[in-house]
Amino acid sequence: MELHAQTVSLDPREWKTGTAATATNEKLAALVFDRLVALDNYGRFQAQLAAEWSHDAAFKRWQFTLRANVKFSDGTALGAADAVAALQPLLPNGQQITASGNSVVIQSVVAIPDLLEELASGRFFVYRVQPDGTLTGTGPFFVAEASAATHKPSNFTSATKEPDGTPSVRPAGGASAMLHLRFRPNEETWSGRPFLDGIDVTLGVPPLRQLFDLQLGKADLVELSPDMVRRAMQENLRVWWSAPVTLYGLRFDDAQPASADAKLREAFALSLDRHTMANVLLQKQAEPAAALLPQWLSGYAFLFSMEKDTERAKEIRAAPPPNAAAGKEPLRLHVEASGDLPKLLGERVAVNARQAAIPVQVVNRAASRGSSTTATSNDAAPGLHLFAWHYSSLSSRVELESFVSTLNLGESSGSAVSSSDPEQLYAREKKLLEERRVLPLVVLPEYVGLGPNVRDWMPARWGEWHLADVWLDVPEPSTELRGNSNTAAPGAKP
């Protein structure tokens, strides 16, 4: 496998909701850890570490009975206390988990009928923290090695050397270096030994290099960036894509007087040409987005419309009283997401806005990493931000709560979206969109290139990979490769 990410973390407690890094972390963590329950491709919940579950009539108390004779990869037994210790830091406020014999009980102050969707996705893995800070899992694989792709381990930290003790892997000599992770089968796993004898993962591989390695047979599975998809298909390579899992959008704040103007935000929204962004700029590898949550997750995204009316936007801008603050300085657009794609989207947004007489200055993301308030090339604070959001939860309630709280879009998550009822979720999302503090642009699937010998590739449509079920169709060695057929033992028949 070859991945774009420069670093990975296998500690779910440290993941940041909505980021592309978390999406990569989750895929690799699924090799090592299990959840209490899983959701299959037919929408049915399947037992993993929980053999059975039940709830009260109010959906406030859930009980999960753990599967018997489950062991971690080090051979020690899984107990209810392990599940409690792992899940309590991950559960949101208002949910408590306790152990009761061989069961765990989750108690909530409000009804949570979608708890199974919540626990079957995202970071809700069960693990045990070892004394040295590493995390042990019950999954089909374990991390056998973490080293430099150039085989210079002294230049890289191990998976246990983070200052806070979290098991993450990153280059010590700079983000441009590549890492090599080796996963080996967990012989103790409850689900049975996986088919693969190992998975070798190389991090930090550029998109074009990934495509070449797939063509040359040097990689069996690679991530494909959207601009490489058409080329891969033209080369007759196997390409799989998920449902739309990444949203690109715009977020206003009050750092500039112009961004606080409701009329300017209305005109800005009317200026956006999302169809051109998806069909031309992204070569039909994306879909225009009018909603915060995708249709496959919420079920109501089709109710929102994408109105583009440049002339109406100009009328709003020209209507008295004129926005003096907005006219004196351009609206600064900060491209938060990294990569070439967000930069292209930012430039297209600026072009659309200028057509509606809204001056926009694009400020790209600075080179430093790890800060949500990265300094820009302009000392003045931007009032508009282009962000990327990766969907991680199968619960539309949880995803919308995370969206609101992470992007600071208003009410606290505890009171704003406490219900999983679709009508209430729709009303909340509609209110957010009408305020125009956040403007969806496009949603993108995840693209994967597969080698010709990969078999039983059956991932979930929301992007979860099931690598424990995959096997490689490696041809048997020919007679000539098995030995020299012209050489026989003395006395043996040819």
PDB file of all heavy atoms in Angstrom, residues 42-69:
ATOM      1  N   TYR A  42     -24.890  -3.920   3.649  1.00  0.00           N
ATOM      2  CA  TYR A  42     -26.340  -4.007   3.464  1.00  0.00           C
ATOM      3  C   TYR A  42     -27.104  -3.228   4.531  1.00  0.00           C
ATOM      4  O   TYR A  42     -28.323  -3.346   4.636  1.00  0.00           O
ATOM      5  CB  TYR A  42     -26.785  -5.470   3.464  1.00  0.00           C
ATOM      6  CG  TYR A  42     -26.163  -6.295   2.366  1.00  0.00           C
ATOM      7  CD1 TYR A  42     -25.039  -7.069   2.603  1.00  0.00           C
ATOM      8  CD2 TYR A  42     -26.672  -6.266   1.066  1.00  0.00           C
ATOM      9  CE1 TYR A  42     -24.451  -7.820   1.595  1.00  0.00           C
ATOM     10  CE2 TYR A  42     -26.094  -7.005   0.050  1.00  0.00           C
ATOM     11  CZ  TYR A  42     -24.986  -7.784   0.318  1.00  0.00           C
ATOM     12  OH  TYR A  42     -24.394  -8.508  -0.696  1.00  0.00           O
ATOM     13  N   GLY A  43     -26.368  -2.456   5.353  1.00  0.00           N
ATOM     14  CA  GLY A  43     -27.007  -1.654   6.381  1.00  0.00           C
ATOM     15  C   GLY A  43     -27.387  -2.435   7.624  1.00  0.00           C
ATOM     16  O   GLY A  43     -28.187  -1.944   8.423  1.00  0.00           O
ATOM     17  N   ARG A  44     -26.806  -3.609   7.810  1.00  0.00           N
ATOM     18  CA  ARG A  44     -27.113  -4.427   8.980  1.00  0.00           C
ATOM     19  C   ARG A  44     -25.959  -4.343   9.971  1.00  0.00           C
ATOM     20  O   ARG A  44     -24.797  -4.413   9.582  1.00  0.00           O
ATOM     21  CB  ARG A  44     -27.342  -5.881   8.579  1.00  0.00           C
ATOM     22  CG  ARG A  44     -28.469  -6.075   7.590  1.00  0.00           C
ATOM     23  CD  ARG A  44     -28.510  -7.502   7.066  1.00  0.00           C
ATOM     24  NE  ARG A  44     -27.255  -7.873   6.417  1.00  0.00           N
ATOM     25  CZ  ARG A  44     -27.110  -8.935   5.631  1.00  0.00           C
ATOM     26  NH1 ARG A  44     -28.135  -9.729   5.411  1.00  0.00           N
ATOM     27  NH2 ARG A  44     -25.940  -9.207   5.077  1.00  0.00           N
ATOM     28  N   PHE A  45     -26.310  -4.233  11.253  1.00  0.00           N
ATOM     29  CA  PHE A  45     -25.279  -4.192  12.283  1.00  0.00           C
ATOM     30  C   PHE A  45     -24.813  -5.605  12.590  1.00  0.00           C
ATOM     31  O   PHE A  45     -25.610  -6.530  12.731  1.00  0.00           O
ATOM     32  CB  PHE A  45     -25.810  -3.517  13.554  1.00  0.00           C
ATOM     33  CG  PHE A  45     -26.011  -2.040  13.390  1.00  0.00           C
ATOM     34  CD1 PHE A  45     -27.276  -1.512  13.169  1.00  0.00           C
ATOM     35  CD2 PHE A  45     -24.924  -1.173  13.421  1.00  0.00           C
ATOM     36  CE1 PHE A  45     -27.454  -0.155  13.001  1.00  0.00           C
ATOM     37  CE2 PHE A  45     -25.102   0.189  13.244  1.00  0.00           C
ATOM     38  CZ  PHE A  45     -26.360   0.689  13.031  1.00  0.00           C
ATOM     39  N   GLN A  46     -23.485  -5.749  12.682  1.00  0.00           N
ATOM     40  CA  GLN A  46     -22.870  -7.040  12.919  1.00  0.00           C
ATOM     41  C   GLN A  46     -22.077  -6.993  14.219  1.00  0.00           C
ATOM     42  O   GLN A  46     -21.480  -5.964  14.569  1.00  0.00           O
ATOM     43  CB  GLN A  46     -21.942  -7.416  11.755  1.00  0.00           C
ATOM     44  CG  GLN A  46     -22.606  -7.457  10.397  1.00  0.00           C
ATOM     45  CD  GLN A  46     -23.611  -8.593  10.275  1.00  0.00           C
ATOM     46  OE1 GLN A  46     -23.523  -9.582  11.000  1.00  0.00           O
ATOM     47  NE2 GLN A  46     -24.560  -8.457   9.359  1.00  0.00           N
ATOM     48  N   ALA A  47     -22.069  -8.126  14.912  1.00  0.00           N
ATOM     49  CA  ALA A  47     -21.313  -8.215  16.161  1.00  0.00           C
ATOM     50  C   ALA A  47     -19.827  -8.232  15.871  1.00  0.00           C
ATOM     51  O   ALA A  47     -19.365  -8.926  14.966  1.00  0.00           O
ATOM     52  CB  ALA A  47     -21.720  -9.474  16.920  1.00  0.00           C
ATOM     53  N   GLN A  48     -19.084  -7.450  16.639  1.00  0.00           N
ATOM     54  CA  GLN A  48     -17.630  -7.569  16.647  1.00  0.00           C
ATOM     55  C   GLN A  48     -17.208  -7.984  18.054  1.00  0.00           C
ATOM     56  O   GLN A  48     -17.347  -9.140  18.417  1.00  0.00           O
ATOM     57  CB  GLN A  48     -16.966  -6.263  16.194  1.00  0.00           C
ATOM     58  CG  GLN A  48     -16.925  -6.112  14.685  1.00  0.00           C
ATOM     59  CD  GLN A  48     -15.836  -5.162  14.213  1.00  0.00           C
ATOM     60  OE1 GLN A  48     -15.529  -4.134  14.822  1.00  0.00           O
ATOM     61  NE2 GLN A  48     -15.242  -5.483  13.073  1.00  0.00           N
ATOM     62  N   LEU A  49     -16.739  -7.039  18.859  1.00  0.00           N
ATOM     63  CA  LEU A  49     -16.373  -7.401  20.224  1.00  0.00           C
ATOM     64  C   LEU A  49     -17.603  -7.582  21.107  1.00  0.00           C
ATOM     65  O   LEU A  49     -17.533  -8.252  22.137  1.00  0.00           O
ATOM     66  CB  LEU A  49     -15.440  -6.343  20.820  1.00  0.00           C
ATOM     67  CG  LEU A  49     -14.081  -6.205  20.126  1.00  0.00           C
ATOM     68  CD1 LEU A  49     -13.225  -5.176  20.833  1.00  0.00           C
ATOM     69  CD2 LEU A  49     -13.371  -7.547  20.053  1.00  0.00           C
ATOM     70  N   ALA A  50     -18.714  -6.998  20.729  1.00  0.00           N
ATOM     71  CA  ALA A  50     -19.980  -7.203  21.447  1.00  0.00           C
ATOM     72  C   ALA A  50     -20.759  -8.309  20.749  1.00  0.00           C
ATOM     73  O   ALA A  50     -21.079  -8.205  19.561  1.00  0.00           O
ATOM     74  CB  ALA A  50     -20.790  -5.917  21.476  1.00  0.00           C
ATOM     75  N   ALA A  51     -21.047  -9.376  21.484  1.00  0.00           N
ATOM     76  CA  ALA A  51     -21.789 -10.498  20.908  1.00  0.00           C
ATOM     77  C   ALA A  51     -23.271 -10.188  20.789  1.00  0.00           C
ATOM     78  O   ALA A  51     -23.947 -10.670  19.876  1.00  0.00           O
ATOM     79  CB  ALA A  51     -21.575 -11.753  21.740  1.00  0.00           C
ATOM     80  N   GLU A  52     -23.780  -9.381  21.706  1.00  0.00           N
ATOM     81  CA  GLU A  52     -25.195  -8.994  21.682  1.00  0.00           C
ATOM     82  C   GLU A  52     -25.361  -7.682  22.424  1.00  0.00           C
ATOM     83  O   GLU A  52     -24.493  -7.284  23.210  1.00  0.00           O
ATOM     84  CB  GLU A  52     -26.071 -10.088  22.310  1.00  0.00           C
ATOM     85  CG  GLU A  52     -25.709 -10.443  23.741  1.00  0.00           C
ATOM     86  CD  GLU A  52     -26.550 -11.585  24.279  1.00  0.00           C
ATOM     87  OE1 GLU A  52     -27.221 -12.241  23.471  1.00  0.00           O
ATOM     88  OE2 GLU A  52     -26.546 -11.800  25.505  1.00  0.00           O
ATOM     89  N   TRP A  53     -26.500  -7.021  22.192  1.00  0.00           N
ATOM     90  CA  TRP A  53     -26.753  -5.739  22.835  1.00  0.00           C
ATOM     91  C   TRP A  53     -28.245  -5.533  22.994  1.00  0.00           C
ATOM     92  O   TRP A  53     -29.068  -6.161  22.311  1.00  0.00           O
ATOM     93  CB  TRP A  53     -26.131  -4.597  22.026  1.00  0.00           C
ATOM     94  CG  TRP A  53     -26.512  -4.604  20.574  1.00  0.00           C
ATOM     95  CD1 TRP A  53     -27.610  -4.038  19.991  1.00  0.00           C
ATOM     96  CD2 TRP A  53     -25.782  -5.238  19.504  1.00  0.00           C
ATOM     97  NE1 TRP A  53     -27.622  -4.263  18.648  1.00  0.00           N
ATOM     98  CE2 TRP A  53     -26.509  -4.999  18.321  1.00  0.00           C
ATOM     99  CE3 TRP A  53     -24.601  -5.969  19.444  1.00  0.00           C
ATOM    100  CZ2 TRP A  53     -26.083  -5.473  17.085  1.00  0.00           C
ATOM    101  CZ3 TRP A  53     -24.177  -6.427  18.216  1.00  0.00           C
ATOM    102  CH2 TRP A  53     -24.905  -6.187  17.053  1.00  0.00           C
ATOM    103  N   SER A  54     -28.596  -4.627  23.908  1.00  0.00           N
ATOM    104  CA  SER A  54     -30.002  -4.302  24.179  1.00  0.00           C
ATOM    105  C   SER A  54     -30.071  -2.881  24.713  1.00  0.00           C
ATOM    106  O   SER A  54     -29.048  -2.288  25.080  1.00  0.00           O
ATOM    107  CB  SER A  54     -30.597  -5.286  25.185  1.00  0.00           C
ATOM    108  OG  SER A  54     -29.885  -5.226  26.416  1.00  0.00           O
ATOM    109  N   HIS A  55     -31.277  -2.332  24.740  1.00  0.00           N
ATOM    110  CA  HIS A  55     -31.478  -0.972  25.254  1.00  0.00           C
ATOM    111  C   HIS A  55     -32.834  -0.874  25.922  1.00  0.00           C
ATOM    112  O   HIS A  55     -33.723  -1.720  25.697  1.00  0.00           O
ATOM    113  CB  HIS A  55     -31.371   0.053  24.122  1.00  0.00           C
ATOM    114  CG  HIS A  55     -32.347  -0.178  23.000  1.00  0.00           C
ATOM    115  ND1 HIS A  55     -33.668   0.213  23.071  1.00  0.00           N
ATOM    116  CD2 HIS A  55     -32.192  -0.775  21.783  1.00  0.00           C
ATOM    117  CE1 HIS A  55     -34.278  -0.122  21.943  1.00  0.00           C
ATOM    118  NE2 HIS A  55     -33.406  -0.728  21.150  1.00  0.00           N
ATOM    119  N   ASP A  56     -33.006   0.168  26.727  1.00  0.00           N
ATOM    120  CA  ASP A  56     -34.308   0.378  27.362  1.00  0.00           C
ATOM    121  C   ASP A  56     -35.252   1.067  26.387  1.00  0.00           C
ATOM    122  O   ASP A  56     -34.879   1.423  25.259  1.00  0.00           O
ATOM    123  CB  ASP A  56     -34.151   1.186  28.648  1.00  0.00           C
ATOM    124  CG  ASP A  56     -33.574   2.578  28.410  1.00  0.00           C
ATOM    125  OD1 ASP A  56     -33.375   2.959  27.229  1.00  0.00           O
ATOM    126  OD2 ASP A  56     -33.324   3.296  29.388  1.00  0.00           O
ATOM    127  N   ALA A  57     -36.492   1.261  26.810  1.00  0.00           N
ATOM    128  CA  ALA A  57     -37.513   1.831  25.927  1.00  0.00           C
ATOM    129  C   ALA A  57     -37.201   3.269  25.533  1.00  0.00           C
ATOM    130  O   ALA A  57     -37.625   3.734  24.474  1.00  0.00           O
ATOM    131  CB  ALA A  57     -38.883   1.758  26.594  1.00  0.00           C
ATOM    132  N   ALA A  58     -36.461   3.978  26.394  1.00  0.00           N
ATOM    133  CA  ALA A  58     -36.159   5.386  26.134  1.00  0.00           C
ATOM    134  C   ALA A  58     -34.870   5.569  25.345  1.00  0.00           C
ATOM    135  O   ALA A  58     -34.498   6.713  25.046  1.00  0.00           O
ATOM    136  CB  ALA A  58     -36.061   6.151  27.450  1.00  0.00           C
ATOM    137  N   PHE A  59     -34.154   4.501  25.013  1.00  0.00           N
ATOM    138  CA  PHE A  59     -32.881   4.555  24.292  1.00  0.00           C
ATOM    139  C   PHE A  59     -31.827   5.356  25.058  1.00  0.00           C
ATOM    140  O   PHE A  59     -30.937   5.959  24.458  1.00  0.00           O
ATOM    141  CB  PHE A  59     -33.063   5.171  22.893  1.00  0.00           C
ATOM    142  CG  PHE A  59     -33.819   4.303  21.944  1.00  0.00           C
ATOM    143  CD1 PHE A  59     -35.179   4.482  21.762  1.00  0.00           C
ATOM    144  CD2 PHE A  59     -33.182   3.287  21.249  1.00  0.00           C
ATOM    145  CE1 PHE A  59     -35.899   3.673  20.894  1.00  0.00           C
ATOM    146  CE2 PHE A  59     -33.884   2.480  20.368  1.00  0.00           C
ATOM    147  CZ  PHE A  59     -35.251   2.669  20.192  1.00  0.00           C
ATOM    148  N   LYS A  60     -31.911   5.344  26.389  1.00  0.00           N
ATOM    149  CA  LYS A  60     -30.924   6.060  27.197  1.00  0.00           C
ATOM    150  C   LYS A  60     -29.921   5.118  27.857  1.00  0.00           C
ATOM    151  O   LYS A  60     -28.832   5.553  28.236  1.00  0.00           O
ATOM    152  CB  LYS A  60     -31.620   6.888  28.287  1.00  0.00           C
ATOM    153  CG  LYS A  60     -32.443   8.052  27.756  1.00  0.00           C
ATOM    154  CD  LYS A  60     -33.027   8.872  28.896  1.00  0.00           C
ATOM    155  CE  LYS A  60     -33.820  10.072  28.372  1.00  0.00           C
ATOM    156  NZ  LYS A  60     -34.377  10.884  29.482  1.00  0.00           N
ATOM    157  N   ARG A  61     -30.290   3.847  27.985  1.00  0.00           N
ATOM    158  CA  ARG A  61     -29.392   2.877  28.607  1.00  0.00           C
ATOM    159  C   ARG A  61     -29.180   1.708  27.655  1.00  0.00           C
ATOM    160  O   ARG A  61     -30.128   1.032  27.257  1.00  0.00           O
ATOM    161  CB  ARG A  61     -29.970   2.372  29.942  1.00  0.00           C
ATOM    162  CG  ARG A  61     -29.025   1.458  30.715  1.00  0.00           C
ATOM    163  CD  ARG A  61     -29.700   0.968  31.994  1.00  0.00           C
ATOM    164  NE  ARG A  61     -28.770   0.235  32.834  1.00  0.00           N
ATOM    165  CZ  ARG A  61     -28.481  -1.060  32.702  1.00  0.00           C
ATOM    166  NH1 ARG A  61     -29.067  -1.766  31.734  1.00  0.00           N
ATOM    167  NH2 ARG A  61     -27.632  -1.651  33.513  1.00  0.00           N
ATOM    168  N   TRP A  62     -27.935   1.514  27.271  1.00  0.00           N
ATOM    169  CA  TRP A  62     -27.578   0.432  26.357  1.00  0.00           C
ATOM    170  C   TRP A  62     -26.633  -0.526  27.073  1.00  0.00           C
ATOM    171  O   TRP A  62     -25.732  -0.101  27.804  1.00  0.00           O
ATOM    172  CB  TRP A  62     -26.865   0.982  25.119  1.00  0.00           C
ATOM    173  CG  TRP A  62     -27.751   1.734  24.167  1.00  0.00           C
ATOM    174  CD1 TRP A  62     -28.253   2.992  24.337  1.00  0.00           C
ATOM    175  CD2 TRP A  62     -28.214   1.280  22.893  1.00  0.00           C
ATOM    176  NE1 TRP A  62     -29.001   3.360  23.244  1.00  0.00           N
ATOM    177  CE2 TRP A  62     -28.991   2.324  22.333  1.00  0.00           C
ATOM    178  CE3 TRP A  62     -28.034   0.112  22.162  1.00  0.00           C
ATOM    179  CZ2 TRP A  62     -29.594   2.229  21.091  1.00  0.00           C
ATOM    180  CZ3 TRP A  62     -28.633   0.004  20.919  1.00  0.00           C
ATOM    181  CH2 TRP A  62     -29.400   1.054  20.396  1.00  0.00           C
ATOM    182  N   GLN A  63     -26.824  -1.814  26.847  1.00  0.00           N
ATOM    183  CA  GLN A  63     -25.946  -2.824  27.419  1.00  0.00           C
ATOM    184  C   GLN A  63     -25.376  -3.699  26.310  1.00  0.00           C
ATOM    185  O   GLN A  63     -26.107  -4.196  25.447  1.00  0.00           O
ATOM    186  CB  GLN A  63     -26.689  -3.689  28.435  1.00  0.00           C
ATOM    187  CG  GLN A  63     -25.806  -4.763  29.075  1.00  0.00           C
ATOM    188  CD  GLN A  63     -26.456  -5.411  30.276  1.00  0.00           C
ATOM    189  OE1 GLN A  63     -27.203  -4.771  31.005  1.00  0.00           O
ATOM    190  NE2 GLN A  63     -26.164  -6.692  30.497  1.00  0.00           N
ATOM    191  N   PHE A  64     -24.047  -3.890  26.344  1.00  0.00           N
ATOM    192  CA  PHE A  64     -23.341  -4.692  25.347  1.00  0.00           C
ATOM    193  C   PHE A  64     -22.628  -5.838  26.057  1.00  0.00           C
ATOM    194  O   PHE A  64     -21.803  -5.605  26.949  1.00  0.00           O
ATOM    195  CB  PHE A  64     -22.319  -3.838  24.591  1.00  0.00           C
ATOM    196  CG  PHE A  64     -22.929  -2.708  23.814  1.00  0.00           C
ATOM    197  CD1 PHE A  64     -23.214  -1.487  24.433  1.00  0.00           C
ATOM    198  CD2 PHE A  64     -23.213  -2.847  22.465  1.00  0.00           C
ATOM    199  CE1 PHE A  64     -23.772  -0.441  23.723  1.00  0.00           C
ATOM    200  CE2 PHE A  64     -23.775  -1.805  21.744  1.00  0.00           C
ATOM    201  CZ  PHE A  64     -24.064  -0.599  22.371  1.00  0.00           C
ATOM    202  N   THR A  65     -22.964  -7.060  25.686  1.00  0.00           N
ATOM    203  CA  THR A  65     -22.293  -8.231  26.226  1.00  0.00           C
ATOM    204  C   THR A  65     -21.106  -8.579  25.351  1.00  0.00           C
ATOM    205  O   THR A  65     -21.258  -8.792  24.137  1.00  0.00           O
ATOM    206  CB  THR A  65     -23.254  -9.427  26.294  1.00  0.00           C
ATOM    207  OG1 THR A  65     -24.380  -9.071  27.100  1.00  0.00           O
ATOM    208  CG2 THR A  65     -22.565 -10.644  26.897  1.00  0.00           C
ATOM    209  N   LEU A  66     -19.928  -8.653  25.967  1.00  0.00           N
ATOM    210  CA  LEU A  66     -18.720  -8.870  25.195  1.00  0.00           C
ATOM    211  C   LEU A  66     -18.606 -10.311  24.735  1.00  0.00           C
ATOM    212  O   LEU A  66     -19.053 -11.246  25.412  1.00  0.00           O
ATOM    213  CB  LEU A  66     -17.490  -8.490  26.017  1.00  0.00           C
ATOM    214  CG  LEU A  66     -17.375  -7.018  26.436  1.00  0.00           C
ATOM    215  CD1 LEU A  66     -16.055  -6.778  27.156  1.00  0.00           C
ATOM    216  CD2 LEU A  66     -17.499  -6.092  25.233  1.00  0.00           C
ATOM    217  N   ARG A  67     -17.989 -10.486  23.602  1.00  0.00           N
ATOM    218  CA  ARG A  67     -17.701 -11.810  23.059  1.00  0.00           C
ATOM    219  C   ARG A  67     -16.723 -12.536  23.990  1.00  0.00           C
ATOM    220  O   ARG A  67     -15.771 -11.936  24.500  1.00  0.00           O
ATOM    221  CB  ARG A  67     -17.105 -11.660  21.665  1.00  0.00           C
ATOM    222  CG  ARG A  67     -16.862 -12.957  20.914  1.00  0.00           C
ATOM    223  CD  ARG A  67     -16.163 -12.666  19.599  1.00  0.00           C
ATOM    224  NE  ARG A  67     -16.996 -11.842  18.736  1.00  0.00           N
ATOM    225  CZ  ARG A  67     -17.897 -12.309  17.882  1.00  0.00           C
ATOM    226  NH1 ARG A  67     -18.097 -13.623  17.796  1.00  0.00           N
ATOM    227  NH2 ARG A  67     -18.601 -11.493  17.122  1.00  0.00           N
ATOM    228  N   ALA A  68     -16.933 -13.814  24.187  1.00  0.00           N
ATOM    229  CA  ALA A  68     -16.075 -14.599  25.082  1.00  0.00           C
ATOM    230  C   ALA A  68     -14.767 -14.974  24.394  1.00  0.00           C
ATOM    231  O   ALA A  68     -14.703 -15.091  23.170  1.00  0.00           O
ATOM    232  CB  ALA A  68     -16.809 -15.856  25.548  1.00  0.00           C
ATOM    233  N   ASN A  69     -13.722 -15.143  25.201  1.00  0.00           N
ATOM    234  CA  ASN A  69     -12.426 -15.668  24.755  1.00  0.00           C
ATOM    235  C   ASN A  69     -11.751 -14.801  23.700  1.00  0.00           C
ATOM    236  O   ASN A  69     -11.077 -15.303  22.803  1.00  0.00           O
ATOM    237  CB  ASN A  69     -12.573 -17.100  24.224  1.00  0.00           C
ATOM    238  CG  ASN A  69     -13.173 -18.053  25.251  1.00  0.00           C
ATOM    239  OD1 ASN A  69     -12.822 -17.990  26.434  1.00  0.00           O
ATOM    240  ND2 ASN A  69     -14.080 -18.911  24.809  1.00  0.00           N
TER     241      ASN A  69
END
